[in-house]
Amino acid sequence: MQHPLKKIAGALAIAAVALSTTTAMARTFRSADVHAKDFPTNMAVKFMGDELSKASGGKDSIKVFGDSALGSEKDTVEQVKIGALDMVRVNTAAFHGIVPESMIPSLPFLFRDIEHFRKTIYGPQGDKILAAFDKAGFIGLALYESGARSIYAHKAIRSVADTKGMKIRVQPSDLWVSLISAMGASATPMPFAEVYTGLKTGLLDAAENNYPSYDEAKHFESAPVYSETLHVMGPEVLVFSKKIWDTLTPEQQSAIRKAAKASVPYYTTLWEAKEKEARAAVVKGGAKIIPAAEIDRKSFVDVERPVWDKFANTPELKALVQDIVNAK
Ligand code: GTR
């Protein structure tokens, strides 16, 4: 017969295991963003939080901090790296110096159109890019489209010659500096939250972004001509701190991954509507649009091709570029 104490110890051990697998500590994950609360990126992370909350019976949730409240993209990426912050949604540009694969979708004129982008970035090539965040200490959860970026200034830009000598704000990234320098312009790296003042004070002649950011940050007030150069379609990325991830149960980890995946189609619908709405809003606010049909795209493509070779500079990165280019 089993000793009564042994029996109790056995029961306790079983109870402890049950406790550790079913009662992971309830968590509210904090996620940072530079955009306002109602911007599609934040709405997507909020949606993800609701999904996660449902999946965990109300235990796990996400709180979004928008408007650069926790700092610039660079600052918040650093906080996530050391485990001081759980999550962050940034443009892939914020990872160019940390995850080489994140540079690839920012290569100028890489995607033929949005269908080409979706097929690859929401497909196997995007999965490869997300997986690459792991070795840098991040869990890549989702990539979200960001439309195409175009240059805005006081004057129209119709060919690359028009950008000569202009001071153009870029996201802090070597690729971005090279890309704008290749146009013959002078690249000024600066966090997103400072661009409004930079344009207003004349420190900058121009900046570049998609319609929703151009509208949200009111950049059209001082740079009212938006020329559809459509030079980069680099996506947004949502990452989780690997330091914190490793403290979670496998159940929590898979619920987070699942909720992040579910947020992508939700985001895409919001984004499509937002692009149209923002384009109309800037026109209403006084902006003038130079449509893509009036831009000498070839003049830009010709100067930008060397940027591909400079940054896609390993056999693996070159293969990834080729894989995207070849996707039909
Ligand atoms: C936006 C992007 C932001 C930020 C910003 C910028 O399109 O959503 O994450 O990267 O551009 O230019 O700094």
Side-chain angles (χ1 to χ4, degrees), residues 34-35 73 89 91 149 169 171 192 209-210 213 236:
V34 297
H35 291 300
E73 298 205 329
R89 192 296 314 166
N91 187 260
R149 299 176 75 106
R169 178 267 173 170
Q171 300 176 86
F192 185 60
N209 220 312
N210 48 41
S213 298
E236 318 287 3

Side-chain angles (χ1 to χ4, degrees), residues 88-108:
V88 71
R89 192 296 314 166
V90 290
N91 187 260
T92 35
F95 278 99
H96 285 174
I98 308 171
V99 179
E101 288 79 355
S102 73
M103 294 190 290
I104 302 308
S106 301
L107 292 178

Side-chain angles (χ1 to χ4, degrees), residues 149-293:
R149 299 176 75 106
S150 290
I151 300 174
Y152 42 89
H154 261 293
K155 62 169 198 181
I157 308 291
R158 289 196 167 80
S159 96
V160 73
D162 295 331
T163 65
K164 200 159 188 63
M166 286 178 90
K167 269 209 201 141
I168 306 182
R169 178 267 173 170
V170 292
Q171 300 176 86
S173 130
D174 289 350
L175 187 156
W176 270 104
V177 170
S178 289
L179 190 158
I180 290 295
S181 306
M183 294 181 188
S186 156
T188 308
M190 185 185 283
F192 185 60
E194 291 170 26
V195 183
Y196 178 82
T197 309
L199 289 168
K200 199 131 229 155
T201 57
L203 177 71
L204 301 166
D205 299 316
E208 52 74 57
N209 220 312
N210 48 41
Y211 279 117
S213 298
Y214 180 54
D215 174 37
E216 179 194 47
K218 300 282 169 278
H219 293 170
F220 62 86
E221 286 178 14
S222 340
V225 187
Y226 189 97
S227 305
E228 289 184 340
T229 50
L230 311 173
H231 49 274
V232 168
M233 295 179 77
E236 318 287 3
V237 64
L238 178 66
V239 302
F240 204 97
S241 168
K242 190 158 163 39
K243 266 227 160 91
I244 298 170
W245 186 260
D246 291 341
T247 69
L248 304 178
T249 64
E251 291 78 11
Q252 280 176 308
Q253 294 174 349
S254 81
I256 292 170
R257 280 200 191 278
K258 222 169 134 196
K261 282 258 165 302
S263 75
V264 177
Y266 172 82
Y267 170 88
T268 308
T269 308
L270 289 181
W271 177 258
E272 282 187 319
K274 184 77 180 173
E275 272 192 315
K276 290 199 188 85
E277 186 193 304
R279 192 183 195 280
V282 297
V283 169
K284 198 157 172 247
K288 180 175 185 256
I289 290 170
I290 309 296

